[in-house]
Amino acid sequence: LLGALTSVTYEDPTQHLEREQALAKQFAEILHFTLRFDELKMTNPAIQNDFSYYRRTLSRMRINNLPAEGENEVNNELANRISLFYADATPMLKTLSDGTTKFVSENKNVPIENTTDCLSTMASVCKVMLETPEYRSRFTNEETVSFCLRVMVGVIILYDYVHPVGAFAKSSKIDMKGCIKVLKDQPPGSVDGLLNALRYTTKHLNDESTNKTIKIMLQ
């Protein structure tokens, strides 16, 4: 998807996203799923303990030669991978960030600006749709608001990972103050997970170059 959305087919990222709306929507769907998954992971801290309990039970059953039920048994290699995956606070976001970073490093023929411009444009589109009453009033389903909020936060985090100085620097093409304001304007408690994602899963928030106002807004 990133390959298609950052190729040099069109002159600017806005054209890209306009001409390839279905691909942009698919990318947005992945971001939405990622943030949703990680929100559930963050609010279910017992997952790792439950999985450890499951593995211990399975080990005891093997020692006692008791058969597991059908295909319910997870083999050791997969179980180790699952444990490593869930050890991260936001496992899906880490997978996505790693994938995006890998894409940028492996595709030297694609200027990094193509990727960061695509991400910043998507962030801007989401922000404008959410903060402009005229556009916001067209949302017939409240889920659309959640969708836009998650996509906006998702692209900010990816931008922060792949851009040399990140999303919070003065030179960033993302209006971070505007994006955080949009999040803060939502009903209390509805976007805690997204604000935490910006606080704890970004790479450059605590850099010295980050505007103090932004740091205060996210405190």
Side-chain angles (χ1 to χ4, degrees):
L1 279 168
L2 281 170
L5 291 169
T6 59
S7 65
V8 286
T9 323
Y10 304 110
E11 285 178 30
D12 64 62
T14 311
Q15 258 192 333
H16 240 309
L17 296 171
E18 279 176 1
R19 301 275 175 88
E20 294 172 333
Q21 286 184 28
L23 293 179
K25 174 74 164 37
Q26 199 56 48
F27 184 51
E29 290 280 3
I30 290 171
L31 287 160
H32 176 250
F33 167 80
T34 298
L35 272 291
R36 181 84 187 93
F37 185 100
D38 285 348
E39 277 170 34
L40 290 169
K41 158 71 171 59
M42 281 197 214
T43 51
N44 288 283
I47 286 176
Q48 283 154 286
N49 292 336
D50 290 348
F51 191 63
S52 297
Y53 175 73
Y54 163 80
R55 293 186 76 178
R56 289 197 301 276
T57 307
L58 214 55
S59 293
R60 281 201 297 274
M61 286 171 76
R62 286 192 191 117
I63 291 164
N64 298 322
N65 287 324
L66 293 167
E69 293 175 22
E71 295 174 5
N72 292 350
E73 188 174 332
V74 176
N75 67 47
N76 261 340
E77 188 200 345
L78 181 59
N80 288 335
R81 281 164 64 190
I82 290 172
S83 288
L84 276 173
F85 177 74
Y86 280 117
D88 203 274
T90 51
M92 278 291 173
L93 209 47
K94 184 181 188 307
T95 306
L96 202 62
S97 303
D98 289 350
T100 309
T101 308
K102 190 180 177 192
F103 168 80
V104 170
S105 63
E106 286 182 357
N107 292 275
K108 301 288 186 208
N109 58 321
V110 178
I112 191 168
E113 292 77 28
N114 287 24
T115 304
T116 52
D117 286 355
C118 170
L119 296 170
S120 60
T121 305
M122 284 182 77
S124 179
V125 168
C126 291
K127 181 179 82 76
V128 170
M129 283 168 70
L130 289 160
E131 70 184 2
T132 312
E134 186 195 337
Y135 297 138
R136 179 81 179 245
S137 64
R138 292 182 198 166
F139 294 166
T140 51
N141 188 343
E142 200 51 39
E143 256 308 296
T144 313
V145 175
S146 300
F147 181 87
C148 287
L149 288 165
R150 287 192 184 110
V151 173
M152 181 180 78
V153 170
V155 287
I156 288 170
I157 292 166
L158 293 186
Y159 183 100
D160 194 53
Y161 265 86
V162 296
H163 195 282
V165 293
F168 302 96
K170 264 189 181 159
S171 56
S172 166
K173 288 190 177 178
I174 295 179
D175 170 16
M176 281 309 303
K177 287 179 191 170
C179 290
I180 296 166
K181 185 180 182 303
V182 164
L183 285 165
K184 295 269 185 139
D185 286 344
Q186 305 311 309
S190 65
V191 291
D192 289 354
L194 294 177
L195 286 165
N196 282 338
L198 287 179
R199 287 178 189 121
Y200 307 122
T201 63
T202 43
K203 194 176 176 182
H204 294 279
L205 175 62
N206 294 317
D207 289 5
E208 280 186 24
S209 57
T210 299
N211 187 309
K212 282 189 172 63
T213 314
I214 291 174
K215 286 184 178 176
I216 291 164
M217 286 175 87
L218 280 174
Q219 271 175 3

